[in-house]
Amino acid sequence: MKQHPHLSLLFATEASTSVLAPLVAYLEAIHHLRVDVSAALPSDLSDYDAVVTPGTANGAANRELEAFVNRGGGWLALVDASPDPLPAMLGVVAEPPGPEAEMRVLFERADHPMGARLPDALYLTGRYQELRSSVDDTETLLYADWHHDHTPVLTQRRVGRGRVACTTLQAFDHPVVQQICYRLLAFLAGRPIEPDPMRVGILGYAPSVGRLHGLGIDHTTGLELHAVCDLNPVRCDQARLDFPHVRTLPTADALAAAADIDLVIVATPPNIHAANCLQMMAAGKHVVCEKPLALNRRETDALQALAQDNQVHLSCHQNRRWDPDYLAIQDSLKQGLIGELFYLETFVGGHHHPCGYWHSHAPVSGGTSYDWGAHYLDWIVSLVPRPVTAVVGTRHKRVWRDVTNADQERIQIRFDGGIEAEFMHSDIAAARKPKWYLLGTRGAITGHWQDVHTHTIDADHYYRRHEIPATEMTPDLAVFHRRAEGEIIRITPAVGQRQPYSFHRNLADHLLLGEPITAPLDDSVKVVGILEAAARSMRRGGTLEAIDGS
């Protein structure tokens, strides 16, 4: 695990019962933060790096905060509905409150480092209230686009050896606002918000995976692609064509020895994931590994131990955490639309010949479920964040004799509390099951595959038909909700657009600033444990395999 500087924060407000509760929960989940909540400001603030209070501190509290900031501390003042004036130290005056509204909020400086990798504009709901600068050195960080004017809603200034900030925003449940608040509090405490970029090398340049990682790196502020390593000279040539500025290396040893590489993305076949990751971490590199992380728990145990011993980052490329259908399902569960989830099925496949690459060769790939299953099981362990207690796996080998992968595999999972989940990958399913089928105590969610084709003009043959892979199309999602009077209504959930390179942005946010990683290592290890137990069950004819509760 990469170590980030420790930060001690104090919320001197009723954070547990206010609009601040989501922000406090977000910060508490960041391992290197200590977050204390107090109803009142203590007389001694020496244990803290930054303090959050209502903006109307006065008397002894104001004097203590001023001394704290002058000594090098940070203070974030939250403007509330109080008519009392703000302390002069904040360098702003709060104008009278306006109406509740949805506001378009932007950084005053579009290139401000605090806004790195964040959306250009946010749409936030809350009470509109302008902050008017009362001194020349007050900097506007965020403004609301209000009546064709830029009106400050988040400001900061230096005071003595510390800094103060003030905001009228209240949307602390918004994930981007939470990121901004974390970055702001670190900045107020004197932490750098524009660290040196991560210099990245890619180990294994497969045509589909390597180039996508390169594009993700190039499109992410704070990541720089420096090197590509592949044993195949043709692939190295392709990497130089795709990214002319990159240098290519012929061996993993050369990449491990490269002093200018901070982070390695391991994109080799699964049977050598563990060995490649161990070599790079032993050389002091941070590592992101293609899925699956490894083939068994013995390998993941070794990976976790070395990452901890060497204090380096290790995670798995679970980019499907940003698929629009998964996010819509996650949001529907958070809203409680189907009550308590107790049963979940996922499916991928069809009736088609398996590919001819190593993906279909079990000694290299791990087996049928280790491919798409690494993504689908990651969804499952995220949606059901409970310990796994038992796994059953079954397989069929009936049609495709030229490959070593099974034609169909099914994995059934039992979680603590009796919740059940199932994943099936079938290459002999002439009629596909739904991609998603979830049951809850108050409803259900279904996700049916969509087959979409496009056509382009062909001067000789009139047109050409192009098939978009069903796995890349957002399925037709429906939520079925049982109302109190017994009526079941169908709801079409809001499904957003796919945002390219979200994984790489989150990776940079985590490595550079210490923000939470969306797909934590523990989940990827849990997925490998399920895959290993399922494979063991399949070999034994579908036995129930107990798991240690991870």
Side-chain angles (χ1 to χ4, degrees):
M1 177 186 294
K2 185 180 189 298
Q3 296 299 304
H4 295 276
H6 183 77
L7 200 64
S8 294
L9 307 176
L10 171 66
F11 281 74
T13 179
E14 295 291 346
S16 60
T17 57
S18 72
V19 294
L20 281 175
L23 174 60
V24 171
Y26 170 82
L27 296 172
E28 287 177 336
I30 299 176
H31 296 301
H32 60 277
L33 298 188
R34 169 192 162 196
V35 181
D36 291 342
V37 177
S38 173
L41 191 74
S43 58
D44 183 5
L45 298 176
S46 59
D47 286 343
Y48 300 103
D49 299 296
V51 175
V52 181
T53 77
T56 53
N58 50 50
N62 189 34
R63 290 191 294 275
E64 175 56 33
L65 283 167
E66 187 167 356
F68 170 69
V69 172
N70 275 291
R71 292 194 302 268
W75 175 29
L76 171 59
L78 309 177
V79 177
D80 54 23
S82 170
D84 296 337
L86 299 176
M89 178 171 58
L90 296 175
V92 289
V93 173
E95 298 290 358
E100 292 280 332
E102 180 181 89
M103 296 171 284
R104 183 170 179 260
V105 176
L106 304 91
F107 275 91
E108 179 71 14
R109 278 178 48 202
D111 63 345
H112 198 290
M114 205 175 293
R117 300 171 297 278
L118 298 182
D120 294 334
L122 304 178
Y123 293 85
L124 306 176
T125 300
R127 181 190 67 252
Y128 168 73
Q129 191 168 12
E130 179 184 357
L131 293 172
R132 177 171 52 82
S133 174
S134 59
V135 293
D136 292 338
D137 63 353
T138 299
E139 176 190 13
T140 296
L141 295 176
L142 295 177
Y143 71 87
D145 196 356
W146 190 262
H147 294 186
H148 200 55
D149 196 7
H150 292 189
T151 61
V153 292
L154 173 61
T155 63
Q156 75 87 23
R157 67 185 291 253
R158 176 174 286 282
V159 176
R161 291 190 294 166
R163 290 185 181 275
V164 297
C166 185
T167 186
T168 57
L169 296 176
Q170 305 107 48
F172 297 112
D173 58 343
H174 192 288
V176 178
V177 173
Q178 293 170 353
Q179 286 181 272
I180 292 172
C181 286
Y182 165 70
R183 297 177 184 190
L184 174 64
L185 289 166
F187 173 67
L188 296 178
R191 304 295 190 268
I193 58 169
E194 197 171 11
D196 293 334
M198 279 276 165
R199 301 164 298 179
V200 186
I202 300 174
L203 178 59
Y205 197 76
S208 57
V209 177
R211 183 171 181 271
L212 284 175
H213 277 303
L215 290 171
I217 294 163
D218 274 2
H219 283 81
T220 301
T221 302
L223 299 182
E224 295 178 352
L225 181 60
H226 279 234
V228 168
C229 173
D230 200 289
L231 297 176
N232 187 337
V234 174
R235 290 186 172 182
C236 288
D237 291 342
Q238 184 61 53
R240 286 191 293 268
L241 285 175
D242 293 339
F243 305 100
H245 63 281
V246 78
R247 80 179 190 276
T248 56
L249 300 172
T251 66
D253 290 344
L255 182 59
D260 65 332
I261 300 299
D262 307 305
L263 166 68
V264 174
I265 297 178
V266 173
T268 53
N271 65 324
I272 54 173
H273 279 179
N276 291 152
C277 292
L278 289 169
Q279 181 182 13
M280 296 303 144
M281 289 192 294
K285 315 293 188 191
H286 303 296
V287 170
V288 169
C289 184
E290 265 301 326
K291 56 83 186 170
L293 179 65
L295 297 186
N296 53 62
R297 284 299 302 269
R298 176 180 54 80
E299 291 180 343
T300 59
D301 287 348
L303 291 169
Q304 287 180 293
L306 186 58
Q308 184 63 39
D309 290 346
N310 284 11
Q311 299 292 287
V312 292
H313 172 81
L314 173 66
S315 64
C316 192
H317 181 225
Q318 296 292 359
N319 59 314
R320 297 283 174 173
R321 287 280 182 113
W322 287 268
D323 277 14
D325 52 325
Y326 163 76
L327 292 175
I329 289 171
Q330 185 184 56
D331 186 59
S332 296
L333 294 177
K334 286 181 179 177
Q335 292 182 51
L337 294 180
I338 70 167
E340 181 183 351
L341 175 67
F342 65 87
Y343 184 78
L344 163 62
E345 284 185 30
T346 59
F347 171 87
V348 67
H351 201 296
H352 43 67
H353 198 288
C355 72
Y357 301 106
W358 56 256
H359 301 75
S360 299
H361 188 45
V364 177
S365 68
T368 303
S369 295
Y370 277 76
D371 189 13
W372 277 110
H375 284 311
Y376 281 60
L377 293 173
D378 179 66
W379 284 335
I380 288 173
V381 300
S382 174
L383 295 174
V384 187
R386 289 172 174 246
V388 176
T389 58
V391 172
V392 173
T394 57
R395 63 162 61 112
H396 291 270
K397 185 67 175 175
R398 300 177 180 273
V399 178
W400 309 118
R401 302 296 181 181
D402 59 323
V403 299
T404 56
N405 274 6
D407 299 339
Q408 174 176 297
E409 290 187 350
R410 181 177 68 163
I411 299 175
Q412 297 169 295
I413 309 161
R414 175 66 64 90
F415 291 89
D416 182 49
I419 298 174
E420 297 174 290
E422 175 178 305
F423 164 70
M424 179 186 288
H425 181 157
S426 179
D427 291 327
I428 51 173
R432 290 175 300 190
K433 298 174 68 174
K435 180 178 181 179
W436 294 101
Y437 182 74
L438 295 83
L439 296 179
T441 54
R442 295 179 57 207
I445 300 175
T446 60
H448 291 276
W449 296 97
Q450 295 196 81
D451 293 310
V452 177
H453 304 88
T454 63
H455 298 85
T456 56
I457 295 174
D458 185 305
D460 299 316
H461 303 286
Y462 303 107
Y463 71 90
R464 289 184 182 273
R465 177 170 138 156
H466 306 275
E467 180 179 341
I468 299 175
T471 52
E472 304 309 315
M473 288 299 303
T474 301
D476 181 19
L477 286 180
V479 176
F480 299 87
H481 173 71
R482 186 181 189 276
R483 305 174 95 168
E485 62 272 20
E487 178 189 8
I488 295 177
I489 60 171
R490 175 176 174 147
I491 303 168
T492 300
V495 179
Q497 296 293 316
R498 188 189 302 271
Q499 300 298 323
Y501 315 123
S502 295
F503 174 88
H504 298 86
R505 286 194 295 274
N506 176 243
L507 177 66
D509 290 341
H510 177 71
L511 290 176
L512 298 174
L513 300 175
E515 294 173 16
I517 194 84
T518 298
L521 178 63
D522 287 348
D523 283 359
S524 298
V525 170
K526 184 184 290 188
V527 166
V528 173
I530 293 170
L531 287 167
E532 182 183 24
R536 187 167 60 247
S537 174
M538 292 172 194
R539 290 193 303 269
R540 296 172 175 174
T543 56
L544 181 72
E545 299 293 322
I547 291 191
D548 62 5
S550 61

